[in-house]
């Protein structure tokens, strides 16, 4: 015989102002999720977890303060200045810094904002939709031949360039350059939910991931992956269509504390992650051992009969 108990946990990260939705800790009363197995009933208890619903706003930011927001342009003070060597002859160049405003801009919006900055330096930025790259070049009307170097300080990944590299223009033999790789501004295409290591339970030896391990799979505590399939600032919604029971293993006799970690497809924190609502279900299936119960009853009958016979002798 099996006895099934279901516990629903309704999580609204917005209510708890003291926590970050990326690392959200859940604390439960000690009596809520317990095994409740007696030492003498011979029962076995199995636990499962299931994600019933998840709802959040697609408010992820491509650009935020200190992340994907700065471009540095070095402009030679005259046409005869030598090649730029950072830390050696910086004094030969004027340094100009441009900060992209926070938000979730598309490629055309980024080009427009960059061109407002580059116009005063007789440069321009175009987006080539054929191969999804940004092109930086001297304006055709420019007769300025001073050397210019671009340092995509923390925007190299956003714009498709290489970290710590300088990109050169001089309006003579080098009039343009383009991104080193295709640009994909929809970088956060997945939200991965996993259990924190300080949780009272873990996924029961049935979850394997190759995230960041060069194709080698190993056990992990990832329990759900939510695709970002909504436009910016629209609602991302998931509702379970099947049982999808995930076996879990309790470290002790009850579940009091667990942590839900939300990361993007690169296992990094999601910039601009909004609050979310999640409904988790914990299912306890208790299986009774009737052979053990019959054995106990027969044992008691045997002892009772033996006691009666002894008293008669």
């Amino acid at each position: 015989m099996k006895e099934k108990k279901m516990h629903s946990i309704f999580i609204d990260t917005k209510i708890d102002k003291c926590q970050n939705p990326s690392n959200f800790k859940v604390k439960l009363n000690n009596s809520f999720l317990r095994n409740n197995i007696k030492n003498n009933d011979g029962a076995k208890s199995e636990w499962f977890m299931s994600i019933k619903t998840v709802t959040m706003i697609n408010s992820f930011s491509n650009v935020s303060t200190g992340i994907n927001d700065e471009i540095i342009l070095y402009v030679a003070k005259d046409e005869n200045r030598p090649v730029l060597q950072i830390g050696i002859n910086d004094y030969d160049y004027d340094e100009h810094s441009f900060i992209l405003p926070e938000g979730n801009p598309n490629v055309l919006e980024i080009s427009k904002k960059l061109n407002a900055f580059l116009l005063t330096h007789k440069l321009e930025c175009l987006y080539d939709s054929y191969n999804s790259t940004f092109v930086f070049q001297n304006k055709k009307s420019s007769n300025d031949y001073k050397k210019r170097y671009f340092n995509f300080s923390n925007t190299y990944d956003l714009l498709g360039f290489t970290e710590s590299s300088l990109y050169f223009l001089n309006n003579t033999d080098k009039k343009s350059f383009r991104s080193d790789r295709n640009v994909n501004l929809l970088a956060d295409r997945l939200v991965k939910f996993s259990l924190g290591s300080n949780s009272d339970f873990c996924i029961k030896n049935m979850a394997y991931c190759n995230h960041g391990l060069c194709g080698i799979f190993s056990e992990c505590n990832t329990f759900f992956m939510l695709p970002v399939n909504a436009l910016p600032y629209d609602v991302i919604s998931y509702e379970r269509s099947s049982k999808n029971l995930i076996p879990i293993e309790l470290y002790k006799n009850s579940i009091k504390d667990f942590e839900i970690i939300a990361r993007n497809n690169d296992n990094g924190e999601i910039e601009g992650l909004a609050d979310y609502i999640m409904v988790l279900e914990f299912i306890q299936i208790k299986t009774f051992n009737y052979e053990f119960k019959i054995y106990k009853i027969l044992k008691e009958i045997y002892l009772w009969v033996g006691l009666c016979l002894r008293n008669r002798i």
Side-chain angles (χ1 to χ4, degrees):
M1 178 181 175
K2 292 186 177 182
E3 179 183 274
K4 182 179 179 180
K5 290 184 179 180
M6 185 176 295
H7 311 264
S8 296
I9 309 295
F10 296 85
I11 300 170
D12 186 349
T13 61
K14 187 175 182 180
I15 294 176
D16 194 338
K17 303 294 185 182
C18 299
Q19 293 205 65
N20 182 347
S22 296
N23 295 73
F24 193 82
K25 295 180 180 179
V26 179
K27 293 185 177 293
L28 301 172
N29 187 293
N30 189 40
S31 62
F32 287 170
L33 277 68
R34 292 186 63 85
N35 270 323
N36 291 325
I37 293 179
K38 299 178 182 178
N39 292 330
N40 60 354
D41 67 1
K44 181 180 71 171
S45 185
E46 295 179 289
W47 284 88
F48 300 87
M49 180 177 69
S50 183
I51 300 89
K52 188 175 182 180
T53 61
V54 180
T55 305
M56 67 170 62
I57 298 292
N58 181 3
S59 62
F60 311 148
S61 300
N62 287 325
V63 179
S64 56
T65 302
I67 299 175
N68 291 336
D69 68 339
E70 184 179 29
I71 296 172
I72 300 173
L73 174 64
Y74 298 93
V75 180
K77 293 183 177 180
D78 58 56
E79 297 177 11
N80 299 317
R81 300 290 170 158
V83 172
L84 173 64
Q85 298 182 67
I86 301 294
I88 297 178
N89 64 338
D90 305 55
Y91 51 83
D92 286 321
Y93 288 78
D94 294 321
E95 180 180 324
H96 306 273
S97 178
F98 174 67
I99 303 296
L100 284 168
E102 289 189 76
N104 198 27
N106 60 35
V107 290
L108 297 180
E109 290 171 333
I110 287 179
S111 295
K112 183 177 179 180
K113 296 179 189 301
L114 286 174
N115 281 322
F117 163 67
L118 296 173
L119 181 63
T120 57
H121 304 285
K122 300 181 180 180
L123 302 169
E124 62 183 354
C125 171
L126 306 174
Y127 180 72
D128 186 349
S129 58
Y130 178 75
N131 54 18
S132 302
T133 55
F134 285 101
V135 179
F136 290 79
Q137 61 187 27
N138 292 92
K139 294 184 72 69
K140 292 182 179 179
S141 59
S142 173
N143 56 2
D144 188 341
Y145 299 101
K146 293 193 292 291
K147 297 181 181 68
R148 291 168 170 81
Y149 290 87
F150 284 81
N151 177 6
F152 296 95
S153 175
N154 63 5
T155 53
Y156 60 88
D157 193 40
L158 178 76
L159 303 179
F161 293 98
T162 302
E163 185 178 6
S164 302
S165 295
L166 293 176
Y167 294 83
F168 170 65
L169 291 175
N170 62 4
N171 204 19
T172 54
D173 59 327
K174 187 64 175 177
K175 294 186 178 183
S176 68
F177 63 86
R178 67 174 60 240
S179 304
D180 298 328
R181 57 186 178 278
N182 294 347
V183 174
N184 174 21
L185 293 188
L186 298 176
D188 290 335
R189 60 185 183 275
L190 196 67
V191 182
K192 298 193 296 187
F193 292 96
S194 61
L195 294 174
S197 58
N198 55 345
S199 300
D200 286 344
F201 65 96
C202 66
I203 307 300
K204 191 177 180 180
N205 301 328
M206 295 185 70
Y208 308 95
C209 306
N210 68 332
H211 305 141
L213 295 174
C214 302
I216 300 174
F217 284 75
S218 62
E219 291 181 15
C220 66
N221 267 333
T222 299
F223 63 87
F224 184 63
M225 292 192 290
L226 178 69
V228 180
N229 53 8
L231 295 174
Y233 306 109
D234 280 353
V235 175
I236 306 169
S237 183
Y238 164 82
E239 185 171 357
R240 187 185 62 204
S241 58
S242 60
K243 289 184 178 180
N244 190 28
L245 299 181
I246 304 169
I248 61 174
E249 181 177 355
L250 276 62
Y251 290 134
K252 41 192 174 183
N253 203 40
S254 63
I255 298 176
K256 293 194 300 181
D257 299 281
F258 63 93
E259 181 180 22
I260 298 175
I261 298 174
R263 295 291 184 265
N264 62 17
N265 35 275
D266 297 318
N267 290 327
E269 288 199 27
I270 302 171
E271 293 300 321
L273 176 63
D275 289 294
Y276 60 83
I277 297 173
M278 176 183 289
V279 180
L280 290 178
E281 289 183 342
F282 289 88
I283 301 96
Q284 180 190 19
I285 298 177
K286 188 175 180 181
T287 305
F288 293 94
N289 186 345
Y290 278 97
E291 291 181 357
F292 180 76
K293 284 182 174 290
I294 293 171
Y295 165 76
K296 281 183 61 181
I297 293 171
L298 291 175
K299 182 180 177 181
E300 290 177 4
I301 293 174
Y302 173 79
L303 292 174
W304 178 77
V305 172
L307 183 61
C308 290
L309 292 174
R310 190 187 68 176
N311 292 336
R312 286 189 178 184
I313 294 174

